């Protein structure tokens, strides 16, 4: 879980650890364009942006639906 204003900072910090590994980087959030561009900028592996079909008042582990 990353606040939107820290999204790029977290990816720049984790990029060296992920580099050269067989990793799928996923985003789960309602905003996509900027976040996907940032992921592509710092991560050369597979990326997947998903969108939750529920609001922040629900617990993700309650069987909530997410669109891939």
């Amino acid at each position: 879980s990353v606040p939107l204003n820290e999204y790029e900072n977290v990816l720049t910090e984790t990029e060296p650890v992920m580099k050269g590994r067989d990793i799928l980087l996923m985003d789960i959030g309602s905003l996509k364009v900027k976040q996907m561009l940032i992921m592509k900028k710092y991560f050369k592996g597979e990326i997947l942006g998903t969108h939750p079909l529920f609001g922040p008042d629900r617990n993700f582990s309650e069987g909530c639906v997410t669109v891939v």
Side-chain angles (χ1 to χ4, degrees):
S1 177
V2 177
L4 291 178
N5 63 332
E6 290 296 321
Y7 200 89
E8 190 162 8
N9 292 335
V10 169
L11 283 175
T12 59
E13 291 176 12
T14 57
E15 186 267 339
V17 175
M18 296 185 294
K19 196 173 198 170
R21 296 178 182 224
D22 189 20
I23 294 174
L24 170 64
L25 182 61
M26 292 181 63
D27 170 80
I28 302 172
S30 57
L31 301 176
K32 287 281 143 275
V33 176
K34 183 178 179 182
Q35 288 70 27
M36 295 298 288
L37 290 173
I38 292 171
M39 285 196 292
K40 285 182 180 182
K41 179 179 177 181
Y42 293 102
F43 186 68
K44 304 304 179 210
E46 295 291 325
I47 62 171
L48 178 64
T50 65
H51 190 295
L53 296 177
F54 53 91
D57 58 327
R58 297 284 306 270
N59 184 328
F60 188 72
S61 65
E62 293 176 350
C64 301
V65 177
T66 299
V67 175
V68 178

